[in-house]
Amino acid sequence: LRSQVCKQWRHPAQRSDTLSARSQAVFLSTQPTTNEVANADRLSTSKYIFDKLIAIACGLGLGYTLAGTLDFVFDFPKPLEITWDLCQANDEVKEAFGTPLSKSLFWDGNVTEFQASVTLPISGPRGDGSLVGRLIKDKKGTWIPLLIVVRKEKRLITVVDTSNSPRSFLNEV
């Protein structure tokens, strides 16, 4: 009984009752050598590492792209902050829109090193409108608002208007 059990568990190439001599020779000749197995392991390991590096590089690239996109979309420059703060402090704007006053994440305009022209959608419990601001930067690096108005339907609310004031501050610009 023991010899029958051992015979069942032998490798097929070693079992003379199932394969012919020629089949055994072909089977044994197709078996990889130790060097071939080691090379295959080395190749599969290096392919695995290469695949992981590619995945990491793609992940970093996508992460960097996402961070740049979010920074671009949610960028809120200093002139826009100044315009928003002055708008929130204005009593006439609070009366027209109600409180709390909220701003949109998206704004339009142009901000350069020395001047800014911005438009920001705003809303409150009593309606929607837009905040428009024009600012310049003086020699000290301080943003000076020239004109800030809020549009609500057909109504214009002036928050800051320096068009009729003396232009002495322009000497500092």
Side-chain angles (χ1 to χ4, degrees):
L1 180 67
R2 185 171 182 187
S3 64
Q4 288 177 348
V5 171
C6 290
K7 196 174 195 181
Q8 288 176 345
W9 292 104
R10 287 187 184 160
H11 195 273
Q14 297 173 338
R15 293 174 61 187
S16 60
D17 59 336
T18 58
L19 295 174
S20 66
R22 180 176 176 172
S23 297
Q24 289 178 9
V26 169
F27 182 79
L28 290 174
S29 69
T30 60
Q31 294 295 313
T33 64
T34 307
N35 286 339
E36 290 172 337
V37 170
N39 286 339
D41 287 345
R42 200 172 314 126
L43 287 174
S44 67
T45 302
S46 61
K47 182 172 178 0
Y48 173 78
I49 291 171
F50 180 74
D51 289 347
K52 287 297 178 186
L53 288 175
I54 292 295
I56 290 170
C58 289
L60 289 174
L62 288 174
Y64 184 74
T65 302
L66 180 64
T69 302
L70 290 176
D71 183 46
F72 176 74
V73 169
F74 297 115
D75 183 27
F76 210 70
K78 186 70 174 170
L80 202 54
E81 290 176 18
I82 293 169
T83 305
W84 173 244
D85 291 341
L86 289 171
C87 173
Q88 282 184 306
N90 188 290
D91 292 331
E92 195 176 348
V93 173
K94 289 179 188 175
E95 183 183 315
F97 288 92
T99 56
L101 193 62
S102 62
K103 63 183 176 191
S104 172
L105 291 175
F106 305 103
W107 59 276
D108 187 26
N110 186 20
V111 177
T112 65
E113 189 176 347
F114 300 107
Q115 64 181 355
S117 173
V118 295
T119 303
L120 178 68
I122 60 173
S123 63
R126 295 189 195 132
D128 300 332
S130 59
L131 171 63
V132 179
R134 307 288 185 263
L135 296 91
I136 58 172
K137 191 185 247 186
D138 66 5
K139 290 180 183 177
K140 299 174 189 170
T142 306
W143 285 99
I144 301 170
L146 298 177
L147 177 67
I148 298 175
V149 294
V150 175
R151 284 185 282 198
K152 181 180 180 191
E153 298 165 3
K154 294 182 180 182
R155 183 177 172 196
L156 277 178
I157 302 169
T158 303
V159 177
V160 174
D161 185 5
T162 58
S163 61
N164 295 330
S165 64
R167 304 269 180 185
S168 61
F169 70 87
L170 288 175
N171 295 331
E172 299 175 11
V173 178

